[in-house]
């Protein structure tokens, strides 16, 4: 059992939280365009939860193993029992961090990229950003940090429409392989092409947008961030192709493609380097658009 003190800061990536919006491609002769936000606004990012104070200076050998599940009280449990997280990586933070505990922005930049990589490997797919499965990152807080602890714990968690971890049972390992994507796919109540911050809801209830599989990496967090025009060019090609594959037709005017992509250097440096394509309906629909072909929009 893991002491409650080892869990420090939780970094939760809300789907679509970084995102320049692509405009709907109702007229493909008019290019979709990203909408950059100011440098200090990560595209409508949710604020980080407050740090938890490490009361015990827990060492690396007290951490759980990869595959262990963590309940709401931050104790390890078997994955058949209710839990909120599943450990995907036990590692070390990069060298060069200050001797005193850095601020959350610095720590997020150091911790989230490897946790997002570990999430994709653990789930068996790079499509996590199109689902409600997200990466958690935990690192030592004040007392453990001053004692020289530099461990990193990464975990997978499932979030609700407000971005809060939910309690689940069963393992998440490789759940996005095969037909597993649909179970975790995210749908948006708000317009992915118009809303700076997305609002999510069930895919079997009225919604406008559906995140499509085929999330595209635009680079690594250590690479220079591509220019908006470059991202838009990639997005137009990629998302138009994804929409045709997703719908099973390329001849609809009432369903268009759009996208979300990183729009600040801070978001990029924290590992948000993916392009997420969305299918967007002209009006709210109460069922998925996947393989709709030329049938009418669902009610």
């Amino acid at each position: 059992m893991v002491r409650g003190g080892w869990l420090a800061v939780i970094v939760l990536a809300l789907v679509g939280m970084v995102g320049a919006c692509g405009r709907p491609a109702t007229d493909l002769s008019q290019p979709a365009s990203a909408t950059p936000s100011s440098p200090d606004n990560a595209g409508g990012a949710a604020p980080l939860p407050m740090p938890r104070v490490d009361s015990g200076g827990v060492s690396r050998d007290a951490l759980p193993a990869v595959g262990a599940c963590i309940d709401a009280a931050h104790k390890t449990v078997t994955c058949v029992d209710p839990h909120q997280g599943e450990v995907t990586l036990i590692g070390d933070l990069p060298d060069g961090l200050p001797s005193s505990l850095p601020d959350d922005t610095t720590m997020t930049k150091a911790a989230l990229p490897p946790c997002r990589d570990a999430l994709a490997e653990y789930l068996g797919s790079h499509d996590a950003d199109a689902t409600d499965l997200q990466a958690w990152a935990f690192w030592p807080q004040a007392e453990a940090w001053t004692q020289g602890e530099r461990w990193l714990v990464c975990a997978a968690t499932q979030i609700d429409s407000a971005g809060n971890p939910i309690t689940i049972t069963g393992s998440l390992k490789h759940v996005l392989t095969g037909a597993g994507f649909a179970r975790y796919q995210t749908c948006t109540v708000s317009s992915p092409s118009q809303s700076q911050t997305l609002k999510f809801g069930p895919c079997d209830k009225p919604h406008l947008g559906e995140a499509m599989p085929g999330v595209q990496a635009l680079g690594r967090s250590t690479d220079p961030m591509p220019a908006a025009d470059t991202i838009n060019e990639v997005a137009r090609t990629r998302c138009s192709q994804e929409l045709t594959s997703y719908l099973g037709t390329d001849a609809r005017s009432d369903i268009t493609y759009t996208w979300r992509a990183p729009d600040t250097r801070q978001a990029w440096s924290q590992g948000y380097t993916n392009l997420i394509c969305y299918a967007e309906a002209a009006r709210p629909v109460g069922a998925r658009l996947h393989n709709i072909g030329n049938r009418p929009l669902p009610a």
Side-chain angles (χ1 to χ4, degrees), residues 99-193:
S99 56
S100 58
L101 184 65
D103 59 77
D104 285 347
T105 298
T106 300
M107 291 305 301
T108 302
K109 182 178 177 180
L112 258 188
C115 286
R116 285 171 55 78
D117 288 344
L119 180 71
E121 181 176 353
Y122 198 83
L123 299 179
S125 170
H126 291 277
D127 286 340
D129 281 349
T131 75
D132 58 8
L133 300 175
Q134 296 294 298
W136 261 348
F138 307 98
W139 55 80
Q141 285 297 281
E143 182 176 348
W145 192 271
T146 59
Q147 295 173 359
E149 296 291 342
R150 297 295 186 270
W151 45 259
L152 171 66
V153 176
C154 301
T157 189
Q158 186 175 7
I159 60 175
D160 62 19
S161 59
N164 300 310
I166 63 176
T167 299
I168 62 173
T169 56
S171 175
L172 294 173
K173 190 172 179 64
H174 292 166
V175 294
L176 292 187
T177 58
F181 175 83
R183 178 179 178 185
Y184 301 98
Q185 180 182 17
T186 51
C187 291
T188 70
V189 176
S190 59
S191 165
S193 66

Side-chain angles (χ1 to χ4, degrees), residues 206-290:
H207 62 276
L208 284 171
E210 298 179 10
M212 295 185 286
V215 171
Q216 171 72 49
L218 297 169
R220 305 285 301 173
S221 62
T222 51
D223 297 334
M225 180 178 169
D229 287 347
T230 300
I231 294 176
N232 292 340
E233 183 178 356
V234 173
R236 283 191 293 269
T237 301
R238 177 77 176 196
C239 295
S240 62
Q241 294 171 345
E242 292 297 337
L243 184 68
T244 296
S245 175
Y246 187 72
L247 301 181
T249 181
D250 59 357
R252 297 196 69 117
S253 60
D254 53 358
I255 306 172
T256 61
Y257 70 79
T258 186
W259 63 84
R260 309 289 286 195
D263 64 347
T264 67
R265 288 182 175 86
Q266 178 178 327
W268 181 272
S269 70
Q270 292 174 347
Y272 298 104
T273 58
N274 289 338
L275 170 74
I276 309 163
C277 297
Y278 283 81
E280 181 168 353
R283 61 165 175 78
V285 295
R288 282 183 173 87
L289 302 170
H290 186 222

